[in-house]
């Protein structure tokens, strides 16, 4: 069996979305992803399970430093790419180098330890800008330029360290959700100034 046929066979065989739905992301993560060879768990940060199970369209995370939110969102993005077919996520970091580092240090290690993710990874879509899992895609982009962002339709946007990003460019990314039936937005950041960034998003949200 050649490499292309093997890829599609493995992808069909391990199609996670047959057994999970949007609210099951937290369960997929514990069943299909690992850390240091052991199944991932929420013992260190119990709040993560509730956050990952929330199916609201827009969720804001106002966070202190070093509580595992970036890793949480990396696993969440990968989970939804497996749970929902034809699902595109754009992870937005403040700068392009941050986005590249996210792929290298957050995404790649999770894929390496997960047979489900490895078997579904498209070898032709596997670099520091994009990962392809069957019919789903994960992009990593910076919020310091718009050319590439404006050409990508998306189903979910993840804004990491929102307060460090260019607010105008964040708004332009949001237009990428226009054609999606999902239109999911996840914003996370350590707050800086009152009235801007994550503080404003949280204060003006519905709940």
């Amino acid at each position: 069996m050649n490499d292309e046929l093997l890829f599609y066979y493995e992808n069909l065989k391990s199609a996670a979305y047959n057994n999970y739905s949007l609210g099951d992301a937290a369960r997929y993560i514990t069943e299909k992803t690992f850390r240091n060879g052991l199944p991932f768990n929420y013992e260190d940060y119990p709040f993560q399970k509730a956050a990952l199970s929330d199916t609201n369209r827009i969720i804001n995370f106002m966070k202190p430093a070093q509580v595992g939110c970036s890793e949480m969102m990396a696993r969440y993005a990968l989970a939804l790419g497996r749970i929902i077919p034809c699902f595109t996520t754009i992870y937005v970091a403040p700068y392009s180098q941050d986005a590249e580092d996210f792929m290298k240090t957050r995404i790649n290690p999770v894929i390496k330890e997960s047979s489900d993710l490895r078997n579904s990874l498209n070898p032709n879509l596997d670099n520091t800008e994009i990962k392809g899992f069957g019919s789903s895609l994960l992009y990593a982009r910076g919020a310091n330029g718009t050319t590439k962002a404006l050409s990508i339709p998306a189903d979910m946007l993840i804004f990491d360290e929102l307060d460090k990003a260019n607010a105008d460019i964040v708004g332009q990314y949001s237009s990428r959700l226009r054609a999606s039936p999902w239109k999911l937005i996840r914003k996370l950041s350590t707050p800086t100034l009152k009235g801007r960034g994550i503080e404003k998003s949280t204060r003006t949200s519905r709940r």
Side-chain angles (χ1 to χ4, degrees), residues 61-64 159-164 187-192 198:
F61 299 93
M62 188 187 300
K63 66 182 184 71
F159 295 104
D160 198 351
E161 292 302 344
L162 178 71
D163 281 39
K164 296 180 181 179
K187 298 177 182 178
L188 54 150
S189 186
T190 302
T192 52
I198 197 67

Side-chain angles (χ1 to χ4, degrees), residues 91-156:
Y91 167 87
V92 185
Y95 299 98
S96 297
Q97 185 60 53
D98 297 328
E100 184 176 325
D101 291 343
F102 175 79
M103 283 292 204
K104 291 179 179 178
T105 65
R106 301 293 188 181
I107 295 295
N108 286 347
V110 180
I111 296 172
K112 184 178 179 180
E113 289 203 86
S114 169
S115 61
D116 182 71
L117 292 168
R118 288 197 314 273
N119 290 338
S120 62
L121 182 63
N122 186 336
N124 297 314
L125 296 171
D126 179 16
N127 55 54
T128 57
E129 291 189 344
I130 183 173
K131 303 289 184 185
F133 299 93
S135 59
S136 294
L137 299 168
L138 168 60
Y139 292 89
R141 293 287 187 264
N144 57 334
T146 60
T147 303
K148 291 182 178 179
L150 293 177
S151 65
I152 304 170
D155 298 293
M156 178 169 69

Side-chain angles (χ1 to χ4, degrees), residues 33-49:
T33 74
F34 300 81
R35 181 195 283 160
N36 299 325
L38 298 174
F40 184 82
N41 63 70
Y42 304 106
E43 292 178 3
D44 292 337
Y45 304 110
F47 75 90
Q48 291 183 353
K49 184 175 182 180

